[in-house]
Amino acid sequence: MEQLYALLLLNQSGFEHQEDYLALLHRLFLECPERGGILLELEIFAGDLKASASLLNGYWAERWPRFPVASFCRLLFARLAQAYAQAKDLGAFGRKSYLLWRLLSASLQREQPF
């Protein structure tokens, strides 16, 4: 679930394509029927990334003590490292990074390394 959240945030900030997020969402929905509630809701709102982000923020807010911060950060920063290596405009990369930080929940914004 943290990979799904990372891809959604990367997509919303302009680093990733929506197809990567949707492919993972569809795969998780089919593989993890025990998480059908949140995944079903995300499937319903798959075309509305703001609604999906709101759902995932709420999902993790309820489970904050169990949020895998280290795993989430590894996934997020691995993708950011790839984007940085391919960046042709550092100003655009910086603006996207700031937008990404602003999309994080308040709890995550206070965590290291953010």
Side-chain angles (χ1 to χ4, degrees):
M1 290 294 290
E2 65 272 12
Q3 184 179 11
L4 191 63
Y5 189 42
L7 284 177
L8 177 64
L9 293 173
L10 288 164
N11 176 267
Q12 281 194 292
S13 55
F15 285 111
E16 294 282 333
H17 297 287
Q18 186 174 1
E19 293 79 26
D20 296 335
Y21 164 76
L22 291 175
L24 180 61
L25 173 61
H26 299 325
R27 187 179 56 116
L28 289 174
F29 181 70
L30 294 173
E31 290 176 359
C32 303
E34 68 277 1
R35 288 195 183 134
I38 183 67
L39 291 174
L40 178 59
E41 288 183 66
L42 290 170
E43 281 283 349
I44 291 169
F45 290 103
D48 184 350
L49 294 180
K50 284 189 178 188
S52 297
S54 179
L55 285 169
L56 278 173
N57 280 333
Y59 175 83
W60 285 119
E62 293 172 6
R63 294 160 181 77
W64 179 246
R66 294 179 284 156
F67 184 79
V69 174
S71 174
F72 173 78
C73 289
R74 273 192 302 278
L75 293 164
L76 191 66
F77 284 108
R79 295 287 184 124
L80 283 174
Q82 292 171 355
Y84 179 77
Q86 297 170 356
K88 293 179 178 34
D89 179 357
L90 281 171
F93 179 84
R95 285 186 294 278
K96 289 178 184 179
S97 297
Y98 179 66
L99 176 58
L100 173 63
W101 180 79
R102 291 193 52 195
L103 292 170
L104 293 172
S105 68
S107 300
L108 267 174
Q109 286 178 349
R110 291 188 297 267
E111 288 289 323
Q112 287 295 332
F114 300 111

